[in-house]
């Protein structure tokens, strides 16, 4: 008769590699690069939180977009410093833009490396397309008064 296995907090390195679709050597490489510092379990094994999974998935996505590992590491470290205490990196959207990284938090878009707020041209393009429609609607409403 087997004993009850105690609850293990977090995910093992094998779980994380499988969930993210990366090899164990690739995961070790990400850890050596300093993307995060997972906790150690009772036997010394690495244990990853859900936040760790989200962050690693983001890092893998940025690296797949050909952003250099050093730039990803630096941007994520600076972003940690920029967010309010206790706010996880998983609470914002992190994406590659060219060979750089941008962060979105609601309507705000910025470069985590410089801290510079960026203008969201996608919204500007949409506003430009909607402006003539809004003018026509305003004109029609004024004629109906």
């Amino acid at each position: 008769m087997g004993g009850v296995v105690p609850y293990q907090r977090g995910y093992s390195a094998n779980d994380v590699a499988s969930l993210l679709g990366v090899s164990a050597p690739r995961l070790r490489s990400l850890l050596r690069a300093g993307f995060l510092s997972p906790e150690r379990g009772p036997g010394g094994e690495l244990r990853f939180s859900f936040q760790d999974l989200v962050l690693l998935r983001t890092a893998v996505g940025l690296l797949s977009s050909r952003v250099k590992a050093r730039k990803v590491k630096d941007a994520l470290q600076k972003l940690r410093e920029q967010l309010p205490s206790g706010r996880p990196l998983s609470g914002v959207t992190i994406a590659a833009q060219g060979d750089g990284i941008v962060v979105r938090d609601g309507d705000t878009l910025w470069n985590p490396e410089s801290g510079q707020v960026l203008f969201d041209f996608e919204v500007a393009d949409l506003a430009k397309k909607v402006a003539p429609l809004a003018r026509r609607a305003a004109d029609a409403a004024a004629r109906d008064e």
Side-chain angles (χ1 to χ4, degrees):
M1 191 184 326
V4 175
V5 177
Y7 170 72
Q8 295 279 331
R9 247 185 91 170
Y11 302 89
S12 72
N14 288 336
D15 292 338
V16 171
S18 176
L19 287 166
L20 297 179
V22 299
S23 66
R26 178 68 168 153
L27 179 58
R28 284 192 299 275
S29 172
L30 291 166
L31 293 173
R32 277 192 309 273
F35 289 113
L36 64 136
S37 301
E39 293 181 13
R40 293 273 178 186
E45 74 283 359
L46 294 175
R47 303 305 297 176
F48 296 84
S49 69
F50 180 74
Q51 304 296 352
D52 293 338
L53 284 176
V54 173
L55 181 59
L56 281 169
R57 184 187 66 185
T58 300
V60 167
L62 293 169
L63 294 167
S64 295
S65 297
R66 302 204 182 270
V67 177
K68 294 184 187 294
R70 182 71 180 169
K71 186 172 273 213
V72 173
K73 179 184 173 191
D74 290 347
L76 294 178
Q77 285 176 338
K78 287 182 181 176
L79 180 57
R80 277 191 191 115
E81 296 166 8
Q82 294 166 1
L83 291 177
S85 179
R87 177 113 188 254
L89 292 177
S90 59
V92 296
T93 303
I94 306 166
Q97 186 174 56
D99 65 349
I101 297 170
V102 295
V103 177
R104 179 180 297 281
D105 186 10
D107 293 334
T108 306
L109 185 70
W110 78 93
N111 176 320
E113 293 175 285
S114 67
Q116 181 178 5
V117 175
L118 305 171
F119 188 71
D120 189 351
F121 287 106
E122 288 181 22
V123 172
D125 288 343
L126 179 60
K128 195 184 308 182
K129 290 176 183 176
V130 170
L133 300 173
R135 262 188 244 111
R136 272 187 259 152
D139 290 345
R143 282 190 302 268
D144 290 343
E145 287 181 8

